[in-house]
PDB file of all heavy atoms in Angstrom:
ATOM      1  N   SER A 155       7.104  -3.011   7.739  1.00 97.00           N
ATOM      2  CA  SER A 155       6.332  -3.470   8.894  1.00 97.00           C
ATOM      3  C   SER A 155       7.238  -4.127   9.927  1.00 97.00           C
ATOM      4  O   SER A 155       8.157  -4.877   9.584  1.00 97.00           O
ATOM      5  CB  SER A 155       5.257  -4.470   8.455  1.00 97.00           C
ATOM      6  OG  SER A 155       4.252  -3.829   7.697  1.00 97.00           O
ATOM      7  N   GLN A 156       6.952  -3.845  11.202  1.00 98.00           N
ATOM      8  CA  GLN A 156       7.628  -4.480  12.330  1.00 98.00           C
ATOM      9  C   GLN A 156       6.559  -5.135  13.200  1.00 98.00           C
ATOM     10  O   GLN A 156       5.380  -4.822  13.099  1.00 98.00           O
ATOM     11  CB  GLN A 156       8.408  -3.443  13.154  1.00 98.00           C
ATOM     12  CG  GLN A 156       9.223  -2.448  12.351  1.00 98.00           C
ATOM     13  CD  GLN A 156      10.383  -3.052  11.587  1.00 98.00           C
ATOM     14  OE1 GLN A 156      10.776  -4.196  11.831  1.00 98.00           O
ATOM     15  NE2 GLN A 156      10.948  -2.311  10.636  1.00 98.00           N
ATOM     16  N   MET A 157       6.975  -6.027  14.056  1.00 98.00           N
ATOM     17  CA  MET A 157       6.032  -6.743  14.918  1.00 98.00           C
ATOM     18  C   MET A 157       6.112  -6.209  16.344  1.00 98.00           C
ATOM     19  O   MET A 157       7.185  -5.851  16.823  1.00 98.00           O
ATOM     20  CB  MET A 157       6.348  -8.232  14.904  1.00 98.00           C
ATOM     21  CG  MET A 157       5.376  -9.085  15.706  1.00 98.00           C
ATOM     22  SD  MET A 157       5.849 -10.834  15.707  1.00 98.00           S
ATOM     23  CE  MET A 157       5.600 -11.205  13.969  1.00 98.00           C
ATOM     24  N   THR A 158       4.973  -6.155  17.028  1.00 98.00           N
ATOM     25  CA  THR A 158       4.968  -5.940  18.468  1.00 98.00           C
ATOM     26  C   THR A 158       4.285  -7.132  19.112  1.00 98.00           C
ATOM     27  O   THR A 158       3.456  -7.802  18.496  1.00 98.00           O
ATOM     28  CB  THR A 158       4.231  -4.647  18.875  1.00 98.00           C
ATOM     29  OG1 THR A 158       2.832  -4.768  18.555  1.00 98.00           O
ATOM     30  CG2 THR A 158       4.826  -3.427  18.187  1.00 98.00           C
ATOM     31  N   SER A 159       4.641  -7.391  20.381  1.00 98.00           N
ATOM     32  CA  SER A 159       4.117  -8.594  21.031  1.00 98.00           C
ATOM     33  C   SER A 159       4.103  -8.419  22.541  1.00 98.00           C
ATOM     34  O   SER A 159       4.857  -7.604  23.100  1.00 98.00           O
ATOM     35  CB  SER A 159       4.980  -9.803  20.664  1.00 98.00           C
ATOM     36  OG  SER A 159       4.556 -10.963  21.348  1.00 98.00           O
ATOM     37  N   ASN A 160       3.259  -9.191  23.212  1.00 97.00           N
ATOM     38  CA  ASN A 160       3.281  -9.279  24.668  1.00 97.00           C
ATOM     39  C   ASN A 160       4.160 -10.413  25.141  1.00 97.00           C
ATOM     40  O   ASN A 160       4.318 -10.622  26.340  1.00 97.00           O
ATOM     41  CB  ASN A 160       1.848  -9.458  25.204  1.00 97.00           C
ATOM     42  CG  ASN A 160       1.121  -8.123  25.290  1.00 97.00           C
ATOM     43  OD1 ASN A 160       1.722  -7.111  25.618  1.00 97.00           O
ATOM     44  ND2 ASN A 160      -0.156  -8.121  24.972  1.00 97.00           N
ATOM     45  N   LYS A 161       4.699 -11.178  24.186  1.00 96.00           N
ATOM     46  CA  LYS A 161       5.634 -12.255  24.490  1.00 96.00           C
ATOM     47  C   LYS A 161       6.951 -11.949  23.794  1.00 96.00           C
ATOM     48  O   LYS A 161       6.958 -11.477  22.662  1.00 96.00           O
ATOM     49  CB  LYS A 161       5.085 -13.594  23.999  1.00 96.00           C
ATOM     50  CG  LYS A 161       3.766 -14.011  24.642  1.00 96.00           C
ATOM     51  CD  LYS A 161       3.297 -15.345  24.077  1.00 96.00           C
ATOM     52  CE  LYS A 161       1.997 -15.794  24.746  1.00 96.00           C
ATOM     53  NZ  LYS A 161       1.534 -17.102  24.211  1.00 96.00           N
ATOM     54  N   PRO A 162       8.078 -12.231  24.445  1.00 96.00           N
ATOM     55  CA  PRO A 162       9.359 -11.986  23.768  1.00 96.00           C
ATOM     56  C   PRO A 162       9.538 -12.933  22.585  1.00 96.00           C
ATOM     57  O   PRO A 162       9.296 -14.131  22.688  1.00 96.00           O
ATOM     58  CB  PRO A 162      10.400 -12.265  24.863  1.00 96.00           C
ATOM     59  CG  PRO A 162       9.704 -13.168  25.826  1.00 96.00           C
ATOM     60  CD  PRO A 162       8.253 -12.787  25.798  1.00 96.00           C
ATOM     61  N   VAL A 163       9.946 -12.384  21.447  1.00 96.00           N
ATOM     62  CA  VAL A 163      10.197 -13.176  20.245  1.00 96.00           C
ATOM     63  C   VAL A 163      11.645 -12.913  19.843  1.00 96.00           C
ATOM     64  O   VAL A 163      11.972 -11.843  19.340  1.00 96.00           O
ATOM     65  CB  VAL A 163       9.234 -12.796  19.110  1.00 96.00           C
ATOM     66  CG1 VAL A 163       9.558 -13.587  17.847  1.00 96.00           C
ATOM     67  CG2 VAL A 163       7.786 -13.022  19.519  1.00 96.00           C
ATOM     68  N   ARG A 164      12.495 -13.910  20.110  1.00 96.00           N
ATOM     69  CA  ARG A 164      13.929 -13.720  19.892  1.00 96.00           C
ATOM     70  C   ARG A 164      14.497 -14.645  18.817  1.00 96.00           C
ATOM     71  O   ARG A 164      15.640 -14.496  18.405  1.00 96.00           O
ATOM     72  CB  ARG A 164      14.684 -13.925  21.211  1.00 96.00           C
ATOM     73  CG  ARG A 164      14.166 -13.016  22.322  1.00 96.00           C
ATOM     74  CD  ARG A 164      14.992 -13.115  23.585  1.00 96.00           C
ATOM     75  NE  ARG A 164      14.359 -12.414  24.698  1.00 96.00           N
ATOM     76  CZ  ARG A 164      14.430 -11.090  24.890  1.00 96.00           C
ATOM     77  NH1 ARG A 164      15.139 -10.338  24.059  1.00 96.00           N
ATOM     78  NH2 ARG A 164      13.811 -10.528  25.914  1.00 96.00           N
ATOM     79  N   SER A 165      13.697 -15.611  18.378  1.00 94.00           N
ATOM     80  CA  SER A 165      14.130 -16.526  17.332  1.00 94.00           C
ATOM     81  C   SER A 165      12.900 -17.080  16.631  1.00 94.00           C
ATOM     82  O   SER A 165      11.763 -16.893  17.098  1.00 94.00           O
ATOM     83  CB  SER A 165      14.957 -17.678  17.915  1.00 94.00           C
ATOM     84  OG  SER A 165      14.122 -18.560  18.653  1.00 94.00           O
ATOM     85  N   ILE A 166      13.104 -17.788  15.533  1.00 93.00           N
ATOM     86  CA  ILE A 166      11.989 -18.348  14.776  1.00 93.00           C
ATOM     87  C   ILE A 166      11.189 -19.339  15.627  1.00 93.00           C
ATOM     88  O   ILE A 166       9.975 -19.496  15.443  1.00 93.00           O
ATOM     89  CB  ILE A 166      12.484 -19.003  13.470  1.00 93.00           C
ATOM     90  CG1 ILE A 166      11.286 -19.362  12.575  1.00 93.00           C
ATOM     91  CG2 ILE A 166      13.341 -20.219  13.764  1.00 93.00           C
ATOM     92  CD1 ILE A 166      11.691 -19.792  11.183  1.00 93.00           C
ATOM     93  N   ALA A 167      11.838 -19.958  16.598  1.00 94.00           N
ATOM     94  CA  ALA A 167      11.134 -20.911  17.462  1.00 94.00           C
ATOM     95  C   ALA A 167      10.046 -20.224  18.277  1.00 94.00           C
ATOM     96  O   ALA A 167       9.012 -20.836  18.609  1.00 94.00           O
ATOM     97  CB  ALA A 167      12.128 -21.607  18.396  1.00 94.00           C
TER      98      ALA A 167
END
Side-chain angles (χ1 to χ4, degrees):
S155 291
Q156 315 294 346
M157 183 182 294
T158 66
S159 176
N160 278 323
K161 299 179 178 180
V163 177
R164 304 186 189 279
S165 71
I166 190 170

